[in-house]
Amino acid sequence: MDRVDIIEKGKLLIDWASKEMPVLKIIRDSFINTKPLAGLKIGACLHITSETANLVLLLRDAGAKVFLTASNPLSTNDEIVTYLKNYESIEVNSKQGETTQEYYENIKRVIENQPDLIIDDGGDLISTICTEYKTIASKVIGGCEETTTGVIRINNLYKQGKLLFPVIAVNNARTKHMFDNRYGTGQSTIDGILRATNVLLAGKTCVVAGYGWCGKGVAQKLKAMGSKVIVTEVDPIKALEAVMDGFEVKTMEEASSIADIFITVTGNIKVITDKHLKKMKDGAILANSGHFNVEIDVDYLEKTKISKRKIRENLEEYIMPDGKHFYLIAEGRLANLVAAEGHPATVMDMSFANQALCLEFFAKNKSKLKPGVYDVLTEIDKKVAYYKLSSMKIKIDELTEEQQKYLESWNLGT
Ligand code: ADE
């Protein structure tokens, strides 16, 4: 493809996604008039997809200068980068398949532009500013964190006294995790597995490690495709929830020898290790949809393998000393974003609407918040839901005055 075709393709992808992002459109139309981010610089570390492009264009139209960098070395869509850079004056230097060194150089480039506001996905941008660029961090008005793993990291940074500006945990908004994590990760993980392998899921035994919002989504979609699903958990309450949702619950050790496909979505490290791999069947498929590539012990596969070859796009075969073959999707990085295209625009619409409204909130409330981790205001969360429902032409009932009063009282009993 020549450069003009690449740019045209980027634009088509962005326009296509925008059709499923009506909430962003409402906000963009309003921000074009009110310019709530006028004169502000935004540093954004996000998966560079057509949905992200729609967010950064909204922020640019709201008056901000946007510096964008990738939140994963493999999830960048180069056509989107080329279009944003050449036609929309968005500063972005990331590329698909960049090295870890290039990944951090690009993050640092964003920071050196001294952003006033931050959007992060995974915590790499916020943690780098707070630890390596303290002077710049002290001038940041606020940041927004997109993902479960990022919120955990930023909370830990705060607990250690190292968080230097307020951060809103966008992931904690109900209009974010109940839809993006559950339906988005659910569908896009299946999409990634299918694009990488084209295996039939019906009749396969699949292990889903982790039954948080993402794990619930993946398990639900696999069940709908006819797979037998085994859930592994460390939290007894989530394990019980999985049981009552109709899934088998086992330890990873028990499940190892039974399953055909393993999917990790825990947000933790070393969920599948040598002890599990040694028990797995020949031909087992391994995928991860947790934020970082730490859930499957890829180092062990690399160090122990007899040989390795690429079978298909985003699928590598490892031959182990005992003669078994394992098939690893997307190097153990986010299967849904590397082997597929991430969450569909319909759910990113709500996640990114929260981001845009939280940045507006920061711009209106400069220096009012101390460093710390904050939830999205309920009024923002509800506004996003109302906008989404109205875009679907769905009306809902309203509390009557009498009902509202009843909910605020205690004296009416049996
Ligand atoms: N995270 C998961 N899916 C995504 C998408 N489509 N765009 C940006 N970030 C994402």
Side-chain angles (χ1 to χ4, degrees):
M1 248 196 298
D2 71 20
R3 199 163 148 274
V4 177
D5 291 339
I6 293 174
I7 291 167
E8 177 61 17
K9 194 158 174 224
K11 168 93 175 107
L12 284 172
L13 291 172
I14 295 167
D15 288 350
W16 176 248
S18 77
K19 293 187 195 305
E20 292 282 320
M21 305 185 92
V23 181
L24 277 198
K25 177 162 179 2
I26 296 170
I27 297 170
R28 190 171 174 182
D29 289 346
S30 142
F31 282 10
I32 282 173
N33 293 320
T34 55
K35 299 271 182 237
L37 306 176
L40 295 174
K41 287 185 277 185
I42 297 179
C45 178
L46 293 165
H47 298 292
I48 303 180
T49 64
S50 51
E51 292 77 24
T52 295
N54 277 285
L55 172 65
V56 299
L57 293 176
L58 176 160
L59 301 174
R60 193 268 324 265
D61 290 349
K65 171 92 187 129
V66 184
F67 302 89
L68 175 64
T69 189
S71 61
N72 184 298
L74 295 186
S75 65
T76 300
N77 181 324
D78 290 334
E79 293 149 350
I80 303 288
V81 170
T82 311
Y83 173 74
L84 288 177
K85 219 168 140 159
N86 290 287
Y87 277 83
E88 300 287 3
S89 58
I90 304 294
E91 285 235 3
V92 46
N93 295 293
S94 306
K95 63 172 192 281
Q96 211 282 336
E98 63 195 4
T99 61
T100 305
Q101 192 189 337
E102 288 167 332
Y103 173 82
Y104 276 104
E105 277 166 12
N106 286 330
I107 285 189
K108 288 178 180 173
R109 236 187 256 191
V110 166
I111 299 173
E112 280 156 16
N113 282 293
Q114 308 193 5
D116 303 292
L117 293 166
I118 302 295
I119 309 179
D120 205 356
D121 185 336
D124 284 343
L125 176 55
I126 293 175
S127 59
T128 306
I129 307 185
C130 289
T131 52
E132 295 178 40
Y133 293 85
K134 292 187 184 152
T135 319
I136 293 178
S138 65
K139 299 205 178 86
V140 170
I141 301 169
C144 291
E145 172 51 55
E146 169 79 5
T147 198
T148 318
T149 293
V151 170
I152 293 170
R153 292 181 77 200
I154 304 307
N155 266 316
N156 292 339
L157 202 63
Y158 175 63
K159 281 185 207 147
Q160 288 181 14
K162 292 187 174 152
L163 184 65
L164 300 176
F165 49 82
V167 174
I168 298 180
V170 167
N171 183 68
N172 295 0
R174 288 188 295 164
T175 46
K176 199 283 181 181
H177 63 259
M178 285 172 63
F179 303 93
D180 165 318
N181 301 28
R182 178 168 40 178
Y183 302 109
T185 310
Q187 179 169 310
S188 59
T189 299
I190 305 295
D191 189 6
I193 293 170
L194 295 183
R195 290 194 204 195
T197 65
N198 197 28
V199 294
L200 185 75
L201 293 174
K204 294 273 191 307
T205 299
C206 301
V207 171
V208 177
Y211 204 66
W213 287 98
C214 294
K216 278 197 236 297
V218 175
Q220 187 189 76
K221 299 297 166 211
L222 285 169
K223 187 175 178 180
M225 298 292 279
S227 299
K228 288 173 231 154
V229 182
I230 301 171
V231 169
T232 70
E233 245 307 333
V234 290
D235 178 331
I237 301 170
K238 290 183 185 163
L240 211 46
E241 193 183 7
V243 171
M244 304 235 175
D245 284 346
F247 299 108
E248 261 194 86
V249 173
K250 292 188 182 296
T251 64
M252 184 57 86
E253 206 158 346
E254 288 169 327
S256 299
S257 57
I258 304 170
D260 306 299
I261 302 177
F262 294 81
I263 303 152
T264 53
V265 258
T266 69
N268 214 329
I269 55 168
K270 297 204 174 153
V271 177
I272 293 181
T273 63
D274 57 336
K275 96 174 169 207
H276 307 118
L277 288 160
K278 282 177 188 146
K279 291 193 163 185
M280 282 183 197
K281 294 197 286 195
D282 180 34
I285 294 172
L286 308 167
N288 166 56
S289 272
H291 187 80
F292 288 116
N293 58 337
V294 293
E295 307 211 11
I296 301 167
D297 193 349
V298 179
D299 275 353
Y300 170 79
L301 284 174
E302 283 293 331
K303 282 193 200 124
T304 321
K305 67 174 192 292
I306 299 289
S307 64
K308 167 177 145 180
R309 61 181 176 147
K310 180 173 169 175
I311 299 287
R312 292 160 54 100
E313 207 49 48
N314 293 310
L315 188 69
E316 273 167 334
E317 177 188 64
Y318 286 82
I319 303 186
M320 306 306 283
D322 58 4
K324 282 190 207 160
H325 304 68
F326 295 134
Y327 296 93
L328 180 66
I329 296 179
E331 301 174 18
R333 291 193 186 270
L334 285 160
N336 62 331
L337 274 140
V338 180
E341 293 170 67
H343 306 347
T346 311
V347 290
M348 294 314 297
D349 187 29
M350 291 193 277
S351 309
F352 285 165
N354 277 293
Q355 292 281 6
L357 294 174
C358 288
L359 291 183
E360 180 197 30
F361 171 82
F362 272 132
K364 281 187 181 156
N365 293 279
K366 279 188 198 132
S367 350
K368 289 203 187 135
L369 296 179
K370 291 202 295 261
V373 185
Y374 297 83
D375 278 335
V376 173
L377 290 179
T378 306
E379 66 193 66
I380 291 184
D381 207 354
K382 284 198 172 166
K383 186 188 253 190
V384 172
Y386 275 120
Y387 283 165
K388 194 72 174 174
L389 284 169
S390 85
S391 78
M392 298 165 156
K393 312 225 175 333
I394 294 171
K395 291 193 198 131
I396 59 168
D397 291 324
E398 274 176 43
L399 288 175
T400 61
E401 223 172 279
E402 193 183 8
Q403 285 174 324
Q404 184 62 45
K405 258 202 190 136
Y406 176 73
L407 291 178
E408 287 161 12
S409 70
W410 57 268
N411 35 354
L412 199 61
T414 314

